């Protein structure tokens, strides 16, 4: 038994889950030094959807956010979430882009990089793990947890062992939909602890309402770190709340040692942040939805489905789409539903229902997935489904990034007129149009000229 450590997610996953990733750097900086005094294992404050949202919705440079927070936070490790070969985007990037991105992330202040792949295809993690180690960062290899006929405790433990052999410094169990139940968590972590010698961290969401209990059983099984969010931005599709867990463990062998009074002060600050966002139009719900156990759908994916159906004036088809999601997932080899596969499966399920014929309309991303361009599905896709989606096209069996040419030099030439820092090349690599719009606006402000390229006066929460 040992004290449990906590990673605070309020600066990344909590507001990504509850406030559509709209918290600004200016809202983070006033509380940063107080967060630094708590004694957290780490502060997750970068990666995921924050990079895109900074440029697309907030007119901010994500690299600048990282530097400003690093300047304020001197004692606590800064952590980010990275989608393996997808980095922070939605497709695979060449190896030179992956290495350059990891190098710059660490150079600008990131200590721990949590690296995952939507398919748990470890080939898609290799380059990011090697680069993290090369540039002296902490590489946290990630096992994405889901439920299906082909996923079980042994497959997860086996993957954790492979990640240990690849040189990872710790292992994260990423339960993005709140599907990990308490007694399964106990068994899983016990087995991992018997098999590997690395610290184990558990990340869950409160979507189904079981994550608090799951954390307690995980702690009893020997988990080293858990992810929580300060209470005003906890629960719902976010993480379990920090303060109740700290209070629960006080006076036990697992005592976190964190100061509840200080945490309460921080909570007061974020209550105001939450209220400000609700006034601007944020729709924040902390409801429990146990349908995730049936459909394996993370909370963010549910809201995307509702949005897609609203746009098509087809909200009456919601239940039908919910039932179609597991069928599509089975057809595609049971991928875990996490970015980007959750969006892809959700869109295909919606199209199947709206067109009235399964796979009559297939997005390019699904075709690429079936061709193997995202990696290896947990189980092979049937010949019948392949034929329906890609006809007689060949399926790729190599690591998808092996087919991509180095790109950094070419990208540098493409945006040479806008480069103010090396990091700009990477922003452009990940989100070309969004970054270009951001750079043009930045130049317009710098030289005090008018620009109608992008209207950044739109509401923070566009309809």
């Amino acid at each position: 038994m040992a004290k449990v450590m906590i990673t605070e997610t309020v600066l990344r996953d909590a507001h990504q889950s509850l406030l559509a990733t709209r918290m600004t750097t200016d809202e983070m900086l006033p509380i940063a030094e107080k967060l630094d005094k708590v004694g957290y294992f780490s502060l997750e404050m970068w990666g995921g959807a924050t990079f895109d949202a900074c440029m697309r919705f907030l007119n901010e440079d994500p690299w600048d956010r990282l530097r400003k927070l690093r300047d304020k936070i001197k004692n606590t490790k800064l952590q980010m979430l990275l989608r393996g070969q997808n980095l922070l985007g939605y497709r695979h990037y060449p190896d030179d882009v992956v290495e350059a991105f990891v190098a710059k992330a660490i150079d600008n202040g990131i200590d721990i990089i949590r690296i995952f792949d939507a398919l748990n295809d470890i080939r898609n993690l290799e380059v990011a793990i090697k680069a993290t180690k090369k540039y002296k960062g902490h590489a946290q290899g990630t096992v994405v947890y889901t439920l299906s006929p082909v996923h079980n405790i042994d497959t997860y433990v086996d993957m954790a062992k492979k990640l240990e052999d690849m040189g990872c410094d710790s292992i994260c169990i990423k339960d993005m939909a709140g599907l990990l139940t308490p007694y399964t968590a106990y068994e899983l972590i016990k087995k991992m602890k018997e098999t590997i010698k690395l610290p184990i961290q558990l990340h869950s969401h409160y979507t189904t309402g079981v994550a608090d209990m799951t954390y307690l059983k995980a702690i009893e099984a020997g988990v080293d770190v858990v992810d929580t969010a300060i209470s005003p931005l906890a629960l719902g599709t976010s993480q379990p709340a920090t303060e109740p867990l700290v209070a629960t463990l006080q006076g036990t062998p697992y005592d976190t040692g964190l100061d509840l009074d200080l945490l309460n002060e921080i909570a007061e600050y974020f209550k105001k942040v939450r209220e400000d966002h609700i006034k601007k139009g944020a729709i924040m719900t902390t409801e429990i939805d146990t349908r995730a156990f049936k459909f394996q759908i993370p909370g963010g994916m549910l809201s995307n489905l509702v949005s897609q159906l609203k746009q098509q004036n087809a909200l009456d088809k919601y239940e039908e789409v919910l039932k179609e999601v597991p069928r599509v997932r089975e057809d595609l080899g049971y991928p875990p539903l996490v970015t980007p596969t959750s969006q892809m499966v959700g869109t295909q399920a919606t199209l199947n229902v709206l067109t009235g014929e399964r796979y009559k309309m297939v997005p390019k991303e699904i075709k690429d997935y079936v061709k193997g361009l995202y990696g290896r599905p947990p189980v092979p896709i049937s010949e019948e489904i392949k034929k329906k989606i890609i006809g007689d096209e060949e399926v790729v069996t190599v690591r998808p990034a092996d087919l991509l040419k180095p790109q950094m030099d070419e990208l540098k030439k493409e945006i040479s007129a806008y480069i103010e820092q090396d990091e700009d090349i990477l922003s452009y690599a990940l989100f070309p149009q969004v970054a270009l719009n951001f750079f043009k606006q930045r130049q317009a402000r710098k030289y005090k000229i008018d620009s109608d390229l992008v209207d950044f006066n739109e509401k923070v929460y566009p309809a």
Side-chain angles (χ1 to χ4, degrees):
M1 282 190 243
K3 92 169 193 176
V4 172
M5 293 175 285
I6 287 180
T7 288
E8 174 62 60
T9 68
V10 71
L11 301 182
R12 204 287 295 179
D13 201 7
H15 76 101
Q16 180 174 319
S17 298
L18 296 179
L19 299 177
T21 330
R22 299 298 200 273
M23 197 188 294
T24 65
T25 304
D26 284 345
E27 288 173 313
M28 297 174 184
L29 291 175
I31 199 67
E33 287 170 339
K34 206 164 264 191
L35 284 166
D36 193 25
K37 288 177 184 168
V38 172
Y40 290 117
F41 170 72
S42 64
L43 285 164
E44 193 204 38
M45 46 64 66
W46 214 58
T50 62
F51 196 95
D52 180 12
C54 271
M55 293 188 292
R56 190 186 298 269
F57 300 116
L58 305 177
N59 196 16
E60 287 188 18
D61 180 352
W63 299 98
D64 193 44
R65 171 180 292 185
L66 172 53
R67 289 189 287 262
K68 283 177 176 174
L69 284 167
R70 179 77 283 174
D71 188 53
K72 292 269 189 186
I73 298 165
K74 308 286 190 189
N75 306 304
T76 311
K77 286 179 167 46
L78 297 185
Q79 183 167 322
M80 74 168 292
L81 180 69
L82 192 83
R83 300 171 188 143
Q85 205 72 29
N86 286 13
L87 293 175
L88 303 176
Y90 307 99
R91 61 181 177 83
H92 282 204
Y93 298 94
D95 291 344
D96 67 328
V97 175
V98 173
E99 177 161 344
F101 188 93
V102 168
K104 281 296 178 188
I106 293 169
D107 186 48
N108 279 277
I110 288 293
D111 299 295
I112 301 170
I113 303 184
R114 178 176 291 170
I115 306 163
F116 81 95
D117 177 67
L119 300 179
N120 280 333
D121 186 341
I122 60 169
R123 300 175 305 166
N124 295 335
L125 304 176
E126 288 170 5
V127 173
I129 290 169
K130 280 180 187 169
T132 303
K133 300 292 290 177
K134 178 178 176 180
Y135 295 103
K136 312 297 182 200
H138 175 120
Q140 187 170 84
T142 305
V143 175
V144 177
Y145 183 84
T146 190
L147 299 175
S148 86
V150 298
H151 291 90
N152 56 52
I153 284 172
D154 288 340
T155 61
Y156 294 129
V157 171
D158 181 56
M159 183 177 177
K161 179 62 182 156
K162 286 174 181 169
L163 290 169
E164 180 182 45
D165 293 343
M166 286 168 71
C168 287
D169 298 293
S170 63
I171 299 296
C172 173
I173 300 164
K174 180 177 171 62
D175 174 28
M176 64 283 171
L179 299 175
L180 183 59
T181 51
Y183 290 97
T184 304
Y186 185 89
E187 190 182 348
L188 173 59
I189 286 155
K190 271 285 187 197
K191 252 196 174 167
M192 272 194 188
K193 281 281 180 183
E194 289 163 5
T195 308
I196 63 172
K197 301 291 183 278
L198 299 179
I200 297 172
Q201 184 156 357
L202 177 57
H203 170 92
S204 189
H205 289 250
Y206 206 79
T207 316
T208 57
V210 303
D212 273 337
M213 296 177 278
T214 296
Y215 277 13
L216 276 180
K217 291 304 291 182
I219 287 164
E220 289 176 4
V223 82
D224 298 280
V225 192
V226 292
D227 288 9
T228 62
I230 204 79
S231 58
L233 288 173
L235 310 183
T237 52
S238 179
Q239 279 70 54
T242 306
E243 306 97 300
L245 186 66
V246 169
T248 298
L249 299 177
Q250 276 183 339
T252 75
Y254 311 112
D255 197 326
T256 64
L258 304 189
D259 182 346
L260 263 179
D261 290 333
L262 182 54
L263 290 172
N264 287 332
E265 287 176 35
I266 292 165
E268 285 303 312
Y269 178 85
F270 282 107
K271 277 180 192 171
K272 172 80 166 55
V273 171
R274 179 186 65 194
E275 285 159 13
D276 289 345
H277 280 265
I278 289 170
K279 282 176 194 167
K280 291 176 191 170
I283 299 166
M284 184 176 145
T285 175
T286 52
E287 291 174 6
I288 287 169
D289 192 341
T290 54
R291 284 180 298 181
F293 288 120
K294 185 174 182 182
F295 302 121
Q296 289 89 52
I297 299 176
M301 184 178 169
L302 281 172
S303 56
N304 281 345
L305 289 178
V306 170
S307 176
Q308 285 176 350
L309 291 170
K310 268 185 184 170
Q311 286 168 15
Q312 300 297 323
N313 293 317
L315 258 183
D316 58 311
K317 304 283 189 186
Y318 181 60
E319 292 298 326
E320 209 177 324
V321 171
L322 277 186
K323 289 172 185 166
E324 178 65 7
V325 166
R327 293 178 68 200
V328 171
R329 184 172 175 243
E330 181 179 358
D331 289 344
L332 298 181
Y334 294 106
L337 295 181
V338 65
T339 305
T341 51
S342 54
Q343 291 90 329
M344 289 157 57
V345 169
T347 299
Q348 186 63 63
T350 303
L351 289 170
N352 286 358
V353 169
L354 295 184
T355 60
E357 183 183 330
R358 305 189 79 232
Y359 305 108
K360 180 180 182 180
M361 189 182 293
V362 181
K364 178 182 183 297
E365 290 80 5
I366 292 285
K367 289 180 180 176
D368 286 348
Y369 173 91
V370 174
K371 286 180 200 171
L373 295 177
Y374 282 87
R376 192 185 291 124
V379 294
I381 298 168
S382 73
E383 291 304 318
E384 181 195 351
I385 294 295
K386 274 192 230 171
K387 187 88 173 165
K388 199 174 275 191
I389 293 175
I390 60 168
D392 295 323
E393 288 191 62
E394 197 175 333
V395 173
V396 168
T397 55
V398 297
R399 184 183 72 109
D402 288 343
L403 304 172
L404 303 175
K405 294 175 184 171
Q407 207 179 6
M408 285 297 288
D409 291 342
E410 180 190 329
L411 292 165
K412 187 175 181 178
K413 283 177 196 165
E414 283 179 21
I415 58 152
S416 57
Y418 298 102
I419 295 173
E420 293 185 8
Q421 56 180 353
D422 289 343
E423 289 83 352
D424 290 341
I425 305 165
L426 294 160
S427 299
Y428 177 71
L430 267 59
F431 301 102
Q433 197 54 55
V434 172
L436 202 54
N437 285 342
F438 174 76
F439 298 152
K440 287 174 180 176
Q441 285 293 320
R442 185 174 66 185
Q443 280 199 354
R445 289 193 303 274
K446 186 175 178 180
Y447 297 110
K448 297 183 171 58
I449 58 173
D450 291 330
S451 172
D452 57 3
L453 285 161
V454 181
D455 178 13
F456 281 106
N457 295 318
E458 66 176 339
K459 285 189 288 186
V460 179
Y461 291 91

